Amino acid sequence: MDRFAYLIDDAEMNSVFSDWTDDVGVALCLDVDGEVGVVLWRTGNQDGLAARLAEATGWAPESFAVAPEIPGCPTIRPLFSQAQEFLRLVEGLSDLPDLARAFRYPEVRMAPEPAPQPASPHVPRITLSEPARARELPAGYRDGGEMDTGPVAFLDGEMRRSGKDIRVCLMPGKIGRRTSVVRASSVGVRDDFRRFVLDRETLSDWTPGRPAIIDVPADRFPPQLAEEFLSGTRPAQITITPEGVFVAAGAAPKRKARFGGLVRANLAIGMAIGLLSGTVVTAFQDAPSGEADALSYRAAEGNSAMNVLESFAISARLDAEKHQ
């Protein structure tokens, strides 16, 4: 399946064109050969929309996928970066608002509805079938030679729990009392759970070189991902582009067991007590009888200080053998 129709309702079109006509949506129709077309539709009723798309594009029924879901068509979910690129393509069609008005009010239409073509020289390519053609890249990737997204910042960061939120810290080493906290309400998560993206407007006042703190409600993530992020502090790699704030979370550091260190500290304390009092307090109160005998002090065997040192050496050896 190498064809795809991305459906944009009137509410989202209002964010692209301030004079957009209510109840009119746009279907951006693409195929793997780079062909792009636009079909207008009434948002109040999706019955028959699949047939309308097939008729307008010449595509066979059920030969194309859509997003979001409509009856009669397979569904896929494009990546956030792809969805943003689709909106930019639509934004480049300056005559689209006039066509929408003519479509909504056919009694005043001045000309038949054309099929406008985006003026942008870059056409997104989306892989919907396997195996992919050799000249195509996997979904979510673009030819590096064709990309020019404007300024990009690469930052070290940190993620940790903050109450019911997941806190994303940019340049944590520079964060101070005056660093303000902003809140993100929209989160896009990749299907592989490896990265997520926040709206660029979340850091609208940010400038390079400044630290920042972003609190994200945990319920904006899938439950499994929220549980993982809330489990502990972890490093993060953050990339800021005009398209968004992209975050790649690292693994939470594993806590190292401190049992051996505590045992050695107890042994040192036991040695000090023995030197001062002439008796030794064993550090292994719950040790097996054989080890307890080895660690205990027997006053009848000579100099107490030498026996203490010998006892300490034996306990250190046993401790090392336990942790090998």
Side-chain angles (χ1 to χ4, degrees), residues 137-159:
L137 297 172
Y141 292 84
R142 284 184 278 171
D143 188 320
E146 297 179 4
M147 294 180 66
D148 183 11
T149 60
V152 178
F154 302 96
L155 305 172
D156 290 329
E158 183 180 86
M159 294 174 58

Side-chain angles (χ1 to χ4, degrees), residues 80 186-190 195-198:
F80 177 83
S186 175
V187 180
V189 180
R190 280 194 66 141
R195 291 177 181 267
F196 64 91
V197 64
L198 308 175

